[in-house]
Amino acid sequence: MTTKQQADAAVAPLASLSRRKLLKTALWASAGTALVVAGGFAWLRRSPVDELPAPDGLKQLSASEYHLFRRAIEVLLPTDGTLLTPVAQIPVIANIDHLMGLVEPAIREELGIALGLFDNAAVFSGLHGKRFVDLDDEAALRYFDVWSAGNTLQRTLATVVKKFVYVSYWRDPATWPPIRFDGAVSDRWGIPSLGNSPLPDESVEVTA
Amino acid sequence: MRPINMRREGVNVTQAKDVARDPSLGRQFSIQTDVVIVGSGAGGAVMAYELAKAGRKVLVLESGRYWPSAEFTENLGDTLTKVYRDQAAQANTTTDVLFLEGNCVGGSTVIGACVMQRPGDEVFQKWSDELGLKGLGPRELDKYFEQVEGWLHVHTNEAHEVNTTAHKVIQGCERMGFSWRPVQRNVKNCALTGHCLAGCPSDRKMSALVTHLPWAAAYGARIFSDTEVSRVLMRGGRATGVEAVIRDPDTGTVVSNVRVDAQVVVLAAGAIHTPLILQRSQAPDRGGNIGRNMAVQPFTQVLATFKEDLYGFQGALVGVEVDEFLKSDGFTFYSALAEPEQLMATGEQEAGDEHINFMKSFKRMAGLNAFAIDKGEGQVIWEGDHLNGRKVIKWSPSREDFERITRATSIAARIFFSAGAERVWLPTFQKMHADSVFDLDEKLARVDYGINGIYSYRMNSFTPHGTCRMGLDPYESVVSADGEVHGVSGLYVADASIFPTPVSSTPQWTVQVLSRYVADRILARAPSHFLS
């Protein structure tokens, strides 16, 4: 499967999630003003990773988005020492970057703000005092867990980040053998096509 | 007597690229035909075959793309993107409920799970006796059901078509004393790949792609793909054709605008898009019913992890159904476990080590899909003008729906615990699972209805219906007992939108039967519709 195909497929949940109009509806309806204000102040919080450049070749992800997803991948997919395909062998960041390029511009803009909120809200949410990208593994994992059980906005943002990461990983067939999923089998099994079903018996004057 | 030629494989379809290559057509052209059918899924394909066989000149317009079976990849992710409507992201206004449907030649019959369920006679008795739709009585429709059954190889799953996921469901039902039965499916010599939702590359699924569409084409029906109908043309209370736009499916650019002049127009674009076309066309709607009364049959997937390896994704996708609660509660449960991507869509995926363990247990998982009947209070609306507007789908669970879904989830979880599940994953937006039946109720009590039930359970819909319901009273319904839109001669509807009431069964079989029924009504009135 090509990267384009992986990315195309992953757009489905992305399109749905981004349609949630995070900032227009869920943010105001569910998060409440406090979180918004907290997010606004937190945007000023600097992180050591802000000084680090994003790798060359990224076309869509900003440097801050790259650092957010890089940290999320580390936290969400700790494949080291497991039987799973090492996350380093799967182009997860590249897939996410490609996905971003397929998102409608208006939705992409909202998504960028939402990702910034997810990163910055960690300063106040849970009183971490740090952005998500700077949390240690345990705190970052707890952040996901708390948000996954939180209000509508929190659950939605946690789901967005997880889906980006998980879809970009699990859609790659290289990840399937360790979980014993067979993938496509018809060609491998040599299953012949039956073609079109014959016309029903009521038909007359059928010629092949 | 005319000779009939049928292709061994594939269907003759005029695609956008064919139109673009034909200099005689240009950017704007018109077609004359007896009948234009909008949509090529379960309803449209049956209609095309019946009318073409009867000697009518038939043109089928399909908004989706033509995917020959040989191009199906058995990769659900690829298929969701290419073959499903809106890349499988067609959602309600709060985007917590996805409406999954095929957007291709053959429609949802191509990507369905092959489940064919005939509603109980009491449903048709009600339509006939209480609603006065005498032609829809169980005895009247019986011959149509039998015909579809024979033609589409509908059969009850045999032992080899019941996989390990299904066996866990059977085991749980036996211990609970619940009634279950093998499902009926429209498949011929199933190859047991488990990839039904991604299309059948070996043409064993009896979708419209390998049955009614090639049959219709054999009788001369023409099929256009990539062709979106913008509106129905009407003059003097009579349908005169449609306007449509042909777009390049890769770029979305307009290839041609086409006007079809027809003596009969049949809408079979499904329960979401048929009412939208009628609204764009400003069809008469005395009671304001077009697009209303949508039942969605919300479904959730309950996953369970067992101690032993099951490989529950292998074999026929759907093996058995639990029918214990069909009449009492309107629930149907189907055993099914699809691909890893499915897990990303239907449940909370955990995080970190818990996610790793969750996915490592994939081979030990089983799935049970709970479909619940709802009250039919959803709505689809076209906002804006007919060319530049947008569709809006409104459906959220009522308190009653929410409680019904909670009960269905509870039943599915109990079935799995009775079969020995170590953990049941609850289909909620909150992170939630239960490790024994004793903490199940306490966990489910934590699921909050909140505001209109949004973001409570992860619900999706494969089977909306009822948005142009059939009835005798033009103030209470959209189409007449013949399937003709009230007040517009020659404009018919033949898809799930004409269901007069919500049903709890999967609709494909009934749609095909009703389409055949409407086709007969059209042919019976041929002298008033057709010039020749």
Side-chain angles (χ1 to χ4, degrees):
Chain A
M1 187 169 61
T2 65
T3 304
K4 172 76 168 67
Q5 286 171 324
Q6 296 165 11
D8 281 350
V11 164
L14 169 63
S16 170
L17 292 166
S18 50
R19 279 184 192 176
R20 287 170 186 160
K21 298 183 179 177
L22 299 167
L23 300 179
K24 290 179 183 168
T25 53
L27 185 62
W28 296 104
S30 303
T33 308
L35 184 57
V36 178
V37 172
F41 281 116
W43 242 282
L44 302 175
R45 179 80 55 173
R46 301 295 298 166
S47 162
V49 302
D50 292 341
E51 307 303 320
L52 301 175
D56 293 337
L58 293 181
K59 294 177 180 171
Q60 305 297 333
L61 290 175
S62 66
S64 60
E65 288 169 345
Y66 160 73
H67 291 303
L68 167 66
F69 279 115
R70 182 195 53 76
R71 188 75 190 109
I73 291 167
E74 290 170 352
V75 171
L76 293 173
L77 286 169
T79 54
D80 288 350
T82 73
L83 295 175
L84 298 189
T85 304
V87 70
Q89 292 179 17
I90 307 297
V92 181
I93 282 287
N95 288 348
I96 295 171
D97 184 61
H98 193 80
L99 279 175
M100 286 289 185
L102 301 175
V103 178
E104 291 174 33
I107 297 174
R108 174 69 181 89
E109 190 179 344
E110 288 183 1
L111 199 54
I113 299 170
L115 293 171
L117 177 64
F118 180 83
D119 185 12
N120 284 275
V123 176
F124 287 83
S125 179
L127 299 175
H128 293 295
K130 296 176 180 175
R131 280 167 38 193
F132 168 77
V133 291
D134 295 325
L135 298 180
D136 61 34
D137 286 356
E138 189 182 338
L141 199 56
R142 195 165 59 247
Y143 189 62
F144 269 113
D145 285 345
V146 168
W147 277 49
S148 293
N151 61 37
T152 301
L153 173 72
Q154 291 173 322
R155 292 201 301 269
T156 303
L157 289 186
T159 302
V160 167
V161 177
K162 282 182 180 179
K163 277 194 188 287
F164 262 108
V165 171
Y166 289 150
V167 168
S168 296
Y169 177 79
W170 286 111
R171 294 199 38 67
D172 192 317
T175 65
W176 296 345
I179 59 170
R180 306 293 297 273
F181 179 61
D182 303 311
V185 292
S186 286
D187 282 347
R188 209 186 318 154
W189 293 352
I191 297 171
S193 169
L194 300 183
N196 291 330
S197 192
L199 277 161
D201 290 343
E202 63 168 7
S203 306
V204 292
E205 297 298 313
V206 177
T207 59
Chain B
M1 199 172 287
R2 29 180 195 151
I4 306 299
N5 293 296
M6 205 181 86
R7 290 173 53 153
R8 163 75 177 76
E9 289 182 330
V11 189
N12 283 324
V13 176
T14 303
Q15 303 175 58
K17 62 185 179 186
D18 302 318
V19 174
R21 276 196 215 113
D22 189 339
S24 69
L25 295 177
R27 295 274 294 174
Q28 199 138 9
F29 64 95
S30 62
I31 301 174
Q32 276 76 43
T33 187
D34 290 347
V35 183
V36 60
I37 298 169
V38 183
S40 65
V46 168
M47 181 66 67
Y49 171 63
E50 294 299 333
L51 297 188
K53 188 180 62 179
R56 294 297 156 193
K57 202 171 163 187
V58 170
L59 175 65
V60 179
L61 303 180
E62 166 59 51
S63 65
R65 196 168 180 156
Y66 173 49
W67 293 103
S69 309
E71 293 185 23
F72 292 139
T73 60
E74 296 185 321
N75 183 311
L76 185 58
D78 280 351
T79 315
L80 290 172
T81 306
K82 294 174 180 172
V83 185
Y84 283 59
R85 173 86 61 184
D86 297 347
Q87 298 180 332
Q90 179 172 259
N92 62 348
T93 49
T94 46
T95 57
D96 55 338
V97 180
L98 293 178
F99 290 80
L100 302 165
E101 64 173 320
N103 185 32
C104 59
V105 173
S108 294
T109 67
V110 173
I111 47 86
C114 301
V115 175
M116 298 288 274
Q117 194 177 33
R118 178 177 171 163
D121 283 354
E122 68 279 1
V123 172
F124 301 112
Q125 207 69 59
K126 178 179 178 181
W127 291 0
S128 171
D129 295 348
E130 293 181 26
L131 304 180
L133 301 167
K134 298 300 181 191
L136 302 190
R139 271 188 298 281
E140 286 73 15
L141 295 181
D142 201 40
K143 59 179 185 251
Y144 297 139
F145 274 106
E146 286 179 7
Q147 189 180 67
V148 173
E149 182 176 11
W151 290 1
L152 300 192
H153 295 264
V154 178
H155 70 284
T156 301
N157 269 347
E158 297 178 28
H160 69 282
E161 294 168 293
V162 177
N163 70 0
T164 51
T165 279
H167 277 289
K168 280 297 174 193
V169 174
I170 295 169
Q171 198 178 337
C173 284
E174 290 292 322
R175 289 189 179 152
M176 297 288 288
F178 294 161
S179 171
W180 61 273
R181 61 189 177 192
V183 298
Q184 289 189 292
R185 297 191 304 143
N186 61 329
V187 58
K188 183 166 63 178
N189 299 331
C190 180
L192 308 178
T193 66
H195 291 296
C196 292
L197 302 182
C200 186
S202 58
D203 288 332
R204 284 142 205 278
K205 180 193 292 184
M206 294 291 100
S207 72
L209 209 49
V210 297
T211 56
H212 288 94
L213 289 176
W215 300 345
Y219 280 101
R222 296 177 66 192
I223 302 165
F224 275 55
S225 64
D226 315 316
T227 306
E228 178 91 48
V229 167
S230 48
R231 61 178 171 173
V232 178
L233 301 172
M234 291 171 273
R235 193 170 57 241
R238 187 177 186 90
T240 59
V242 300
E243 282 180 350
V245 181
I246 301 174
R247 285 193 172 85
D248 181 323
D250 291 323
T251 64
T253 54
V254 175
V255 172
S256 281
N257 292 293
V258 57
R259 174 194 170 104
V260 178
D261 297 316
Q263 295 163 57
V264 167
V265 175
V266 181
L267 300 182
I272 291 175
H273 290 86
T274 285
L276 295 178
I277 294 170
L278 287 173
Q279 290 171 1
R280 289 199 296 260
S281 310
Q282 299 186 321
D285 186 12
R286 291 187 204 173
N289 289 299
I290 295 176
R292 289 189 181 275
N293 309 304
M294 180 173 69
V296 309
Q297 284 185 351
F299 80 88
T300 56
Q301 183 178 53
V302 175
L303 293 170
T305 309
F306 290 83
K307 191 176 293 182
E308 67 273 31
D309 293 347
L310 298 176
Y311 303 104
F313 41 82
Q314 296 176 343
L317 179 63
V318 183
V320 299
E321 64 181 279
V322 182
D323 59 343
E324 173 79 18
F325 307 92
L326 187 58
K327 288 185 178 171
S328 60
D329 299 85
F331 301 152
T332 312
F333 300 87
Y334 297 104
S335 65
L337 181 67
E339 303 189 8
E341 295 96 290
Q342 184 202 26
L343 304 186
M344 302 299 116
T346 58
E348 160 63 38
Q349 308 90 22
E350 303 287 331
D353 290 338
E354 289 184 2
H355 175 76
I356 301 294
N357 291 330
F358 174 76
M359 291 305 294
K360 278 164 68 179
S361 69
F362 185 48
K363 63 183 177 183
R364 295 188 285 120
M365 281 185 188
L368 189 54
N369 298 292
F371 286 70
I373 195 169
D374 61 310
K375 296 176 71 176
E377 295 178 340
Q379 187 178 7
V380 292
I381 304 164
W382 185 259
E383 286 187 350
D385 65 66
H386 73 282
L387 290 176
N388 302 307
R390 67 183 191 108
K391 68 181 166 194
V392 174
I393 303 173
K394 293 184 175 178
W395 187 86
S396 289
S398 64
R399 174 73 72 173
E400 195 178 324
D401 293 330
F402 174 85
E403 285 168 3
R404 196 179 287 120
I405 291 161
T406 302
R407 176 163 152 70
T409 302
S410 170
I411 292 168
R414 282 175 157 77
I415 289 171
F416 276 142
F417 278 127
S418 296
E422 291 184 323
R423 173 169 288 184
V424 169
W425 308 87
L426 301 171
T428 57
F429 276 91
Q430 292 167 271
K431 177 183 171 179
M432 195 172 285
H433 57 253
D435 288 333
S436 91
V437 72
F438 301 108
D439 66 354
L440 180 62
D441 290 340
E442 183 264 327
K443 291 283 174 64
L444 286 174
R446 284 194 221 162
V447 186
D448 183 21
Y449 178 70
I451 304 167
N452 293 327
I454 63 172
Y455 293 97
S456 54
Y457 287 99
R458 288 177 187 259
M459 289 172 278
N460 295 310
S461 172
F462 267 115
T463 49
H465 55 272
T467 46
C468 298
R469 67 185 180 189
M470 184 181 279
L472 301 180
D473 184 350
Y475 290 94
E476 293 290 329
S477 58
V478 176
V479 302
S480 70
D482 285 346
E484 191 175 40
V485 173
H486 291 301
V488 188
S489 176
L491 176 56
Y492 288 85
V493 179
D495 57 30
S497 48
I498 64 174
F499 282 25
T501 62
V503 300
S504 55
S505 308
T506 54
Q508 182 181 324
W509 200 349
T510 307
V511 168
Q512 289 171 318
V513 162
L514 291 183
S515 181
R516 174 65 205 273
Y517 164 86
V518 173
D520 280 358
R521 302 281 85 70
I522 293 172
L523 292 172
R525 295 174 57 194
S528 69
H529 285 318
F530 300 110
L531 296 174
S532 58

